[in-house]
Amino acid sequence: MGVKMQSGVLEIARATRHHGVQRSRTKEVAMFNAVIDAPFGKVGIRTGGEALREIVYLPAQTASVEPDGELAARAAAQIARYFEDADAGFDLPLAPLGTPFQRRVWDGICAIEAGEVLTYGELAKRIGSDSARAVGQACGDNPFPIVIPCHRVVSASGLGGFAHHGGEGFFRDVKRWLLAHECTTNRFELR
């Protein structure tokens, strides 16, 4: 997939995560190095140093932000290319975020091909873990959705949550769109 973790970059404080504290739209948009249109709304991109720091799903009414640097422009272009072609790959330097277990889960997610879906339990077995719940938590903590395609991991009983958001709403709609975009044919209902 071409995803690279780089050393020497500090971890983002949890309060700035996509599932963290609500902020005013103006302040939130200012925190992104780019905000681009997506078929389901917007995508915010944060960079820091020489690495991508975070990708965030945002509602459609969020203001767009032109990329403010080469890395933000590269990330925006590669994500936009993915929206046009689900088989498009990524070649972006990723900040070395997460615990060793989370990184193992994220590496396992990167091995799931577009159009394929695994349950949290199936991914846990693939990476040598006994805990589907811990895998689900690591999926929700993924700071690089789309690039690390955590939408390809679902609950044994259906679609499951997304980005630490359960129930119906924006985030599950994003997950549905991503799976449909990749022409996912599987034993799980996307509704």
Side-chain angles (χ1 to χ4, degrees):
M1 172 163 280
V3 176
K4 300 179 278 268
M5 297 286 218
Q6 291 193 355
S7 60
V9 181
L10 299 176
E11 185 169 347
I12 294 173
R14 290 269 186 230
T16 64
R17 295 297 310 269
H18 58 279
H19 44 74
V21 179
Q22 288 282 347
R23 299 175 209 88
S24 76
R25 193 174 319 150
T26 303
K27 184 176 180 183
E28 184 172 310
V29 170
M31 296 174 65
F32 293 106
N33 300 94
V35 175
I36 63 170
D37 290 329
F40 46 76
K42 302 277 183 147
V43 171
I45 298 165
R46 289 191 180 108
T47 63
E50 301 297 316
L52 184 63
R53 300 294 308 233
E54 188 175 33
I55 297 169
V56 181
Y57 299 120
L58 300 167
Q61 65 269 27
T62 305
S64 295
V65 174
E66 287 297 316
D68 65 0
E70 185 275 327
L71 180 56
R74 201 166 107 209
Q78 288 184 29
I79 292 168
R81 187 177 67 231
Y82 166 81
F83 291 145
E84 294 173 10
D85 177 7
D87 292 325
F90 295 94
D91 183 22
L92 298 166
L94 304 179
L97 305 177
T99 66
F101 176 76
Q102 287 171 326
R103 290 183 197 159
R104 205 167 86 220
V105 171
W106 300 338
D107 286 344
I109 291 169
C110 288
I112 304 170
E113 296 293 326
E116 182 183 0
V117 175
L118 293 180
T119 66
Y120 299 112
E122 290 167 337
L123 180 57
K125 287 178 187 169
R126 273 196 187 182
I127 65 165
S129 173
D130 295 329
S131 177
R133 182 178 301 270
V135 165
Q137 288 297 314
C139 286
D141 289 338
N142 173 15
F144 310 111
I146 299 175
V147 174
I148 298 177
C150 55
H151 58 274
R152 297 176 188 161
V153 186
V154 299
S155 166
S157 61
L159 190 61
F162 194 49
H164 287 306
H165 291 84
E168 291 304 319
F170 174 71
F171 288 93
R172 283 187 59 166
D173 289 345
V174 171
K175 187 172 186 173
R176 281 185 194 94
W177 187 91
L178 293 166
L179 290 171
H181 175 58
E182 295 178 355
C183 298
T184 301
T185 56
N186 60 70
R187 61 192 183 270
F188 301 99
E189 290 292 321
L190 298 182
R191 50 185 173 85

